[in-house]
Amino acid sequence: MLDLLIRHANLPDGQTDVAVAIQNGCISAVVPDQLLASAASIKTLDAEHQLLSPPFVDAHFHLDSALRYGQPRVNESGTLREGIALWGMLKPTLTQADIEQSATQYCHWALANGILAIRSHVDISDPSLVAVQALLNVRSAFKPWLDLQLVAFPQDGLLRRAGAQDNLIRALDMGVDVIGGIPHFERTFQDGTLSIEWLCRLAAERGLMVDMHCDETDDPMSRHIETLTANTVRFGLQGRVTGSHLTSMHSMDNDYAAKLIHLMAEADMRVVANPLINITLQGRHDTYPKRRGMTRVRELIEAGLTVAFGQDCAMDPWYSFGSGDMLEVAHMGLHVGQLTSQAQTTQCFDAVTTQAACVLGLEARGLAPGARADMVLLQANNPSDAIRLRATRLAVIRAGQCIASTPPKVAELSLGSQNISVNWRL
Ligand code: FE2
């Protein structure tokens, strides 16, 4: 007897009318529907030919600063630097309970939107490590439903801020999962290089993954990603290192960028672009034309790299918007990167599902027999439709259990004597 049988589903890879069987929290079969039409199951869910997807994964977020809109005030210049300055004013005023409360609220939004894994950076600049303890508590509280991975992030610089190296090691000892960095924010390019070497050596010693905020600037000479790539090879960290943002690559000389991308592919680097944030933050020092600022997503994917999109921020000192909707992120990434072909549209969907899972090291979480039964049923026919409509999450399923549901979005028109239902699908 199956625990749950989902019938008549469309899958992101283009398969239609598929049945997914679930037993003991795991997927036991993914087959054409007619093969399981008479299978016995405790529960059956008719997907009605809508899209059944692996869950959304946010590969880059900041839970400690989220949901603080207007505190201490809104970022007027819209720049990264003003955001960091505002966060510097705000963070000493936040208690562990404050951070736990807002992070909990955000996790509720995320689960309702079908996000079942988040990689969140946590600022370790303050020696009290209040934010670290808060997010470790949130990680354990949500463990049954959400894979929350934490990155020790030296927001004020690893070398620029006295004590950051010690704080970072203490955060890892407390149970933070991944090593972060911010080389472009150190005082000099040389300090950026030294920070990368120190952090990669530490990752090699401890057997951990690395995820650095890297080259989040429009300066084409900000080339820390080259150093990060070289140190990935030097310390044998291939497949375990992520470069987040990489916006300087947008402005680099094409010849240099081509060589760099080849080296990144050799080192099996992971890349996370954050389109909502970087279309807002970048180009602020340009007059016209204004650069878009997002890294070279198309070229990186074509070179075979794993590329994900992250949300980065929601209602914080850097970004006043955001609602935990990875389809909004994919929608913006598609537009900024002009990724409009059919294949590229699917790649944008993958960038917030399977590719993002890969960045977190959760490769075995797709819709395949043996995987944990984590999935989302969307009010859409296919990935393109899901992005176009920022589709309603009809059901969010974790380990075979439905943990969130939203009614379908349908409007009722009354036009004289005609009553028409509108659901925006062809
Ligand atoms: Fe970030």
Side-chain angles (χ1 to χ4, degrees):
M1 176 77 79
L2 298 171
D3 299 326
L4 175 63
L5 176 62
I6 302 174
R7 299 196 55 196
H8 307 301
N10 290 354
L11 303 188
D13 64 5
Q15 291 184 72
T16 57
D17 205 22
V18 168
V20 177
I22 296 164
Q23 207 161 21
N24 301 323
C26 291
I27 297 172
S28 57
V30 180
V31 294
D33 187 79
Q34 68 270 19
L35 296 183
L36 282 180
S38 57
S41 179
I42 295 167
K43 281 189 203 159
T44 301
L45 172 63
D46 187 350
E48 297 176 351
H49 305 280
Q50 297 171 107
L51 181 63
L52 186 70
S53 163
F56 296 107
V57 176
D58 189 350
H60 188 115
F61 194 67
H62 294 261
L63 265 177
D64 50 359
S65 54
L67 311 196
R68 297 276 160 210
Y69 176 77
Q71 299 178 31
R73 59 177 172 77
V74 171
N75 183 333
E76 293 297 334
S77 69
T79 57
L80 175 67
R81 256 182 251 132
E82 184 174 343
I84 293 175
L86 289 175
W87 174 234
M89 292 156 69
L90 173 60
K91 64 185 169 185
T93 70
L94 298 177
T95 65
Q96 185 180 317
D98 291 335
I99 296 170
E100 284 183 28
Q101 184 272 328
S102 49
T104 297
Q105 185 175 9
Y106 181 82
C107 288
H108 291 157
W109 294 6
L111 291 174
N113 275 334
I115 298 175
L116 296 187
I118 298 174
R119 174 178 278 183
S120 174
H121 296 254
V122 52
D123 190 348
I124 54 85
S125 303
D126 186 314
S128 73
L129 299 180
V130 162
V132 171
Q133 191 55 59
L135 294 192
L136 286 169
N137 291 350
V138 171
R139 186 179 72 180
S140 356
F142 279 88
K143 194 162 189 256
W145 311 289
L146 178 72
D147 297 303
L148 178 55
Q149 197 174 71
L150 299 176
V151 185
F153 176 44
Q155 171 74 76
D156 298 338
L158 183 78
L159 303 175
R160 185 168 169 174
R161 169 73 178 238
Q165 287 163 293
D166 185 44
N167 295 345
L168 191 139
I169 287 172
R170 286 168 50 225
L172 296 177
D173 290 342
M174 288 166 73
V176 169
D177 310 278
V178 179
I179 293 177
I182 186 165
H184 59 278
F185 194 68
E186 304 293 349
R187 284 199 173 82
T188 63
F189 192 83
Q190 172 70 6
D191 278 357
T193 300
L194 291 173
S195 77
I196 292 170
E197 287 172 359
W198 189 86
L199 291 162
C200 287
R201 180 175 285 111
L202 185 64
E205 284 167 5
R206 294 199 171 215
L208 296 176
M209 291 190 281
V210 174
D211 187 340
M212 290 193 202
H213 285 64
C214 193
D215 300 325
E216 190 179 5
T217 163
D218 294 316
D219 173 9
M221 297 311 291
S222 186
R223 295 177 168 189
H224 294 292
I225 182 56
E226 179 185 70
T227 309
L228 181 59
T229 302
N231 278 278
T232 296
V233 175
R234 175 182 169 194
F235 289 103
L237 299 172
Q238 291 92 332
R240 285 162 48 192
V241 178
T242 299
S244 281
H245 294 289
L246 307 182
T247 54
S248 73
M249 288 181 71
H250 184 96
S251 300
M252 283 174 181
D253 173 77
N254 287 336
D255 194 45
Y256 173 76
K259 176 196 170 197
L260 174 62
I261 289 170
H262 180 71
L263 290 170
M264 289 169 69
E266 266 185 12
D268 197 10
M269 303 292 286
R270 274 54 172 142
V271 172
V272 180
N274 297 297
L276 291 173
I277 296 307
N278 288 127
I279 196 63
T280 318
L281 293 180
Q282 305 316 126
R284 289 282 179 167
H285 300 287
D286 293 348
T287 52
Y288 290 94
K290 276 185 182 291
R291 286 168 288 180
R292 296 177 182 217
M294 191 168 77
T295 195
R296 301 187 184 210
V297 169
R298 179 173 65 79
E299 292 79 359
L300 288 159
I301 291 174
E302 284 173 1
L305 283 116
T306 297
V307 180
F309 291 148
Q311 176 160 221
D312 201 3
C313 303
M315 303 182 77
D316 72 5
W318 294 271
Y319 187 64
S320 300
F321 307 95
S323 60
D325 183 351
M326 295 312 294
L327 287 171
E328 183 186 1
V329 175
H331 190 268
M332 181 60 78
L334 182 152
H335 283 77
V336 175
Q338 299 181 321
L339 301 164
T340 51
S341 76
Q342 209 170 9
Q344 289 166 341
T345 301
T346 302
Q347 285 164 353
C348 289
F349 188 82
D350 295 344
V352 294
T353 54
T354 51
Q355 294 298 288
C358 213
V359 168
L360 270 67
L362 305 174
E363 287 90 341
R365 298 286 175 87
L367 292 183
R372 192 171 62 198
D374 291 357
M375 58 200 80
V376 182
L377 181 62
L378 295 157
Q379 189 187 0
N381 298 333
N382 52 50
S384 168
D385 228 21
I387 293 172
R388 178 177 68 87
L389 298 171
R390 269 77 83 218
T392 300
R393 283 68 167 172
L394 300 169
V396 179
I397 294 167
R398 170 76 162 187
Q401 303 291 320
C402 182
I403 61 164
S405 59
T406 308
K409 182 180 175 186
V410 180
E412 302 298 338
L413 286 183
S414 295
L415 304 177
S417 61
Q418 296 181 85
N419 292 320
I420 300 167
S421 291
V422 176
N423 69 6
W424 292 271
R425 290 168 63 198
L426 290 177

